[in-house]
Amino acid sequence: MPLPLLGGLSPGAFLRRHWQKRPLLVRGAIPGFRDPITPAGLLDLAARPGVESRLVLGRGGRRPWQVVPGPLPRALRRRLAPSHWTVLVQGVDAHVPAVADIVERFDFLPRWRVDDVMISLAAPQGSVGPHVDSYDVFLLQGRGRRRWRIARRFEEACRTGLDLRILRRFRAEDEWVLGPGDMLYLPPGVAHHGIALEECLTYSIGFRAPAEADLVAAFLHRLVGAADRQRLYRDPDLAAAREPGEISPAALARLRAIVVRGATVRTDEFVRFAGEHLTEARADGPKRPRRVEAVVLGRALRTGAWLERRLGARVAFVRRGRGAVLFADGRAWPLPAPLAAAAPVLTRRRRVRGQALVPLLRRAGLLDLLAALVSARVFRLVRPRAAGGSSRGRPRNRAGAGSPRRAGSR
């Protein structure tokens, strides 16, 4: 179906024409968009320990384009000039539910590709300079206006001696001014330069692409960890050496057989590695599990409660024959055929209605699985409030109104 978010394109048409191919400007991608966070709220978040943030001073710093890492002072705004600065906060979707709901709008893309939602608060003329990102990114404009200039052909050389990777030369090929609710999609490798025309908030929804070298290194590390360290090279049929300095063909053949045997990749092993690696918990994830009883959980779900995925939790699943493997925060839960239907239900939306799970609760093992996920803090149980009470937190069908990093240092 055509989506306003994609300018009237269907997800399939967007993926064929634009995804990792060419930019797309969408006017009114989210009509009537209202910021799910205020500038003051974002600055408060930037002041918290454990939240990745930074201040970029286009002017007025000790050096050009100075970057000040967070946590930033709470009284920061009173110290800043009226223009030429930007505050960037990473992973806001892991801290603000309404920001996490924005990601739900992009459910035509695999959830495991989502990196985070970075929000920038910029004063007039605030910018991070012309740069290139290695990620697919959707730039959703909140309050205020920002001018975006892009170029597909450019010199890759960056200016030296700066805290940011800013292109030495940049000549724009296209230019637009985005207002609230407008959105610009940029594939990897497109140079871009955003300049705030007035105080503004910009939401950068980034989609990660694992580096091939990192995937290979992570998998080899797992193979090495699983290798039998007590097993040694053996050559009981060793023949007398004619040249003691030579590595013989026979020795090379034995060594190669050891490496090939150790590097042999079984499908089940690789599926588990991929799922656990791609859903690895963020650094700010929960440290300690908590015990939740399956019986209590089942009773609550049958009487109107629902499950809500923790902000920042990463989940995915892989089908295996008639069964499936559910992955959450770097852990694997194999699901036999009777439980496989729960995998898409648990990974489709951040809020899972109890009604969607009740038909499955009679299947042996499902309540134990749900209790394990809640105990691991992947989900939390949310109970309905009494009549007349607040409805805050109730599940909704759609989102609310509302390697290097983005913004010039990726």
Side-chain angles (χ1 to χ4, degrees), residues 65-226:
W65 297 106
Q66 181 185 357
V67 175
V68 180
L72 301 174
R74 292 192 179 276
L76 174 69
R77 193 154 193 167
R78 294 199 297 268
R79 306 179 189 178
L80 293 174
S83 66
H84 292 89
W85 57 262
T86 301
V87 170
L88 303 165
V89 184
Q90 299 284 163
V92 183
D93 55 311
H95 303 280
V96 181
V99 174
D101 287 341
I102 293 176
V103 180
E104 301 281 291
R105 294 179 176 270
F106 295 84
D107 59 4
F108 55 90
L109 295 169
R111 188 63 47 78
W112 68 265
R113 288 292 307 274
V114 176
D115 182 25
D116 70 348
V117 179
M118 180 187 75
I119 302 181
S120 69
L121 168 64
Q125 300 303 306
S127 175
V128 296
H131 62 279
V132 184
D133 289 338
S134 59
Y135 283 19
D136 295 271
V137 63
F138 294 85
L139 299 163
L140 175 64
Q141 188 59 34
R143 68 170 64 199
R145 296 175 301 148
R146 185 185 287 268
R147 174 180 287 113
W148 285 104
R149 305 164 67 218
I150 71 167
R152 301 171 188 82
R153 296 177 297 277
F154 55 91
E155 294 184 24
E156 297 184 3
C158 291
R159 295 171 58 181
T160 58
L162 301 181
D163 295 343
L164 294 173
R165 292 181 56 82
I166 293 178
L167 295 173
R168 182 180 300 169
R169 294 183 180 87
F170 175 78
R171 180 176 296 177
E173 299 168 0
D174 289 296
E175 180 178 317
W176 308 278
V177 173
L178 272 63
D182 294 341
M183 187 175 72
L184 176 63
Y185 162 72
L186 294 176
V190 175
H192 50 287
H193 185 194
I195 302 175
L197 302 183
E198 58 218 20
E199 180 181 271
C200 70
L201 289 172
T202 304
Y203 302 75
S204 174
I205 302 103
F207 286 77
R208 59 185 175 144
E212 292 185 8
D214 292 342
L215 281 175
V216 173
F219 188 62
L220 289 178
H221 180 74
R222 177 170 293 212
L223 289 179
V224 171

Side-chain angles (χ1 to χ4, degrees), residues 72-410:
L72 301 174
R74 292 192 179 276
L76 174 69
R77 193 154 193 167
R78 294 199 297 268
R79 306 179 189 178
L80 293 174
S83 66
H84 292 89
W85 57 262
T86 301
V87 170
L88 303 165
V89 184
Q90 299 284 163
V92 183
D93 55 311
H95 303 280
V96 181
V99 174
D101 287 341
I102 293 176
V103 180
E104 301 281 291
R105 294 179 176 270
F106 295 84
D107 59 4
F108 55 90
L109 295 169
R111 188 63 47 78
W112 68 265
R113 288 292 307 274
V114 176
D115 182 25
D116 70 348
V117 179
M118 180 187 75
I119 302 181
S120 69
L121 168 64
Q125 300 303 306
S127 175
V128 296
H131 62 279
V132 184
D133 289 338
S134 59
Y135 283 19
D136 295 271
V137 63
F138 294 85
L139 299 163
L140 175 64
Q141 188 59 34
R143 68 170 64 199
R145 296 175 301 148
R146 185 185 287 268
R147 174 180 287 113
W148 285 104
R149 305 164 67 218
I150 71 167
R152 301 171 188 82
R153 296 177 297 277
F154 55 91
E155 294 184 24
E156 297 184 3
C158 291
R159 295 171 58 181
T160 58
L162 301 181
D163 295 343
L164 294 173
R165 292 181 56 82
I166 293 178
L167 295 173
R168 182 180 300 169
R169 294 183 180 87
F170 175 78
R171 180 176 296 177
E173 299 168 0
D174 289 296
E175 180 178 317
W176 308 278
V177 173
L178 272 63
D182 294 341
M183 187 175 72
L184 176 63
Y185 162 72
L186 294 176
V190 175
H192 50 287
H193 185 194
I195 302 175
L197 302 183
E198 58 218 20
E199 180 181 271
C200 70
L201 289 172
T202 304
Y203 302 75
S204 174
I205 302 103
F207 286 77
R208 59 185 175 144
E212 292 185 8
D214 292 342
L215 281 175
V216 173
F219 188 62
L220 289 178
H221 180 74
R222 177 170 293 212
L223 289 179
V224 171
D228 185 354
R229 294 183 178 275
Q230 302 302 316
R231 189 169 181 172
L232 304 178
Y233 173 88
R234 299 187 64 210
D235 50 3
D237 56 347
L238 181 65
R242 295 184 179 181
E243 292 292 341
E246 179 186 9
I247 303 175
S248 69
L252 288 172
R254 290 190 190 94
L255 292 167
R256 184 177 186 277
I258 291 171
V259 172
V260 169
R261 182 174 64 249
T264 299
V265 181
R266 291 175 46 203
T267 300
D268 288 345
E269 291 175 346
F270 185 78
V271 166
R272 183 161 188 143
F273 157 75
E276 291 177 350
H277 181 73
L278 296 174
T279 63
E280 198 168 41
R282 297 183 183 187
D284 57 355
K287 300 299 184 289
R288 289 179 296 181
R290 60 183 176 187
R291 178 67 179 167
V292 176
E293 296 295 335
V295 174
V296 174
L297 185 63
R299 187 182 304 122
L301 291 173
R302 290 186 178 95
T303 54
W306 63 89
L307 298 180
E308 184 173 87
R309 191 165 69 244
R310 190 190 80 250
L311 295 178
R314 288 175 171 157
V315 297
F317 75 95
V318 174
R319 301 183 193 276
R320 301 297 295 152
R322 296 178 60 193
V325 184
L326 177 69
F327 298 97
D329 283 347
R331 293 179 56 187
W333 280 271
L335 305 181
L339 300 185
V345 174
L346 292 171
T347 57
R348 187 174 297 125
R349 292 279 186 273
R350 198 167 68 83
R351 300 177 183 91
V352 184
R353 295 177 181 273
Q355 297 95 311
L357 293 169
V358 167
L360 304 174
L361 292 182
R362 296 180 181 176
R363 301 186 183 185
L366 182 63
L367 272 177
D368 290 333
L369 168 69
L370 298 179
L373 291 169
V374 174
S375 297
R377 298 181 186 264
V378 176
F379 290 91
R380 72 183 183 101
L381 179 67
V382 183
R383 301 175 185 274
R385 294 184 182 272
S390 170
S391 62
R392 183 177 179 181
R394 289 181 183 173
R396 293 177 289 179
N397 290 330
R398 297 295 298 172
S403 89
R405 307 297 289 172
R406 285 193 296 285
S409 57
R410 242 188 205 143

